[in-house]
Amino acid sequence: MLRGTLPPLAAPGRAGGGPLSTPRLLRPGSPERAGLDPDEIGHLVGEVRDLTRGPRPWCAGAVVVVGRGPVIAAQEAAGWAVRYAAYDPETDAGVELPREWRVPMRTTTPFDLASLTKLFTTVAAVQQLERGTLGIDALVGAYVPEFTAAAEHGITVRQLLTHTSGLRPELPLYDCPDEAARLAALRTEAPVTAAGDYVYSDLNMLLLQRVLERLTRRPFDALIRDGITRPLGMTATGFGPRPDAAATEDQRKPWAKADRGMLRGTVHDENAWALGGVAGHAGLFSTARDLAVFCRTLLCGGSYGRARILGPDFVELMLAEPGLGFRVDQPWFMGELAGRGAAGHTGFTGTSLVLDPATDTFLVLLANTVHPRRRAADSGPRAAAGTRLARAARGR
């Protein structure tokens, strides 16, 4: 795709078609009304509840939303948004708050999305592809020439979106003394592997953020708000602080990269925090219901109700193998939903979403798995939930 050759994007909030083509809004329902096997959905919800139980649960609390078409088949909250006052390294356990001081999880509880933020960065970039103002195979250096390493090594927009730029997973920006030093580190960071090799990297989305800000001459948070969340009515989605959010980690060295104490409502990711809480790779907060709207929008080809944020061809471009920003067909967190073009992502704090165009289904599972401290990643429960949904769709 070449810059200037793609059709323009319709204004946000405009209908994507006539009345018959306007996608229906999400509405509460039941597995039966959604055309899903109620037994499988019942098991899915019960297993999510179980994840929050016991002295060392998978997560302190969780919210799950399952839908098919415009029908929300299940929506459940379990456990605690805030359960622990601190982490005790001597006992390797959380210091539990008295029960009356804990904060129960609600279906409306906001979560630190962590890397699910990357999906919004991706949509913002693909919007510019649709407008014709950004070329997918254009050189990053053409937009931000001061990023000298990216320019020297010929990094492209496509490589950023597919994590094939060769950039390493992250930089310790949180150790830089000031903003100027952080920016200098990003500008001079060169690839460490060959272009084309897949290396998942936060730096790709940080660089893409800078490209989008330069291209649109707008701050990144405004770009996400005005181009995605506002037209879709996702009023609970935005960059922090969010004091009502589920708690994350008692962030202290040596297990973390900074000493910040128990976090609630401020971004967990150390680099996003060092960058002021607004970053292309992490920083957004949202609720399960808002993310259900996001999923429904993509399953409807970029429209929701009378709002249109992308055209169907560009949604297809974004979700087709190997995926732009989105991961496609990943059994390790999608379970049996994988293998048919399912797309989604996970976040370090315990968040995930999957949408399956083949069955018009979606699954949002938000959990605070790093509360009270981070552990080795375990996506088994995510995969199990994906498998339950896949079987529920097949069984009806």
Side-chain angles (χ1 to χ4, degrees), residues 51-53 56-60 62 350 365 367-369 378-382:
L51 296 174
T52 69
R53 293 171 176 161
R56 293 179 181 268
W58 184 72
C59 59
L365 178 57
N368 51 353
T369 57
D378 174 15
S379 280
R382 294 173 175 137

Side-chain angles (χ1 to χ4, degrees), residues 18 20 59 65 70 104 165 210 254 260 274 280 303 312 316 334 361 376 388 395:
L20 294 178
C59 59
V65 176
S165 66
R210 302 294 173 172
R260 301 167 62 201
S303 296
E316 184 177 354
M334 298 178 182
T361 58
R388 288 291 188 191

Side-chain angles (χ1 to χ4, degrees), residues 258-277:
D259 288 306
R260 301 167 62 201
M262 183 61 76
L263 302 178
R264 185 187 184 196
T266 57
V267 64
H268 173 270
D269 182 89
E270 291 94 342
N271 274 343
W273 164 69
L275 292 167

Side-chain angles (χ1 to χ4, degrees), residues 72-118:
I72 293 179
Q75 183 174 228
E76 183 85 9
W80 304 97
V82 183
R83 176 172 173 172
Y84 304 100
Y87 167 73
D88 183 353
E90 292 188 5
T91 62
D92 188 29
V95 179
E96 294 200 86
L97 290 163
R99 196 173 185 88
E100 64 271 19
W101 290 2
R102 300 181 196 176
V103 179
M105 193 67 76
R106 310 287 187 196
T107 57
T108 55
T109 298
F111 283 77
D112 180 335
L113 295 186
S115 285
L116 292 193
T117 302
K118 293 180 173 72

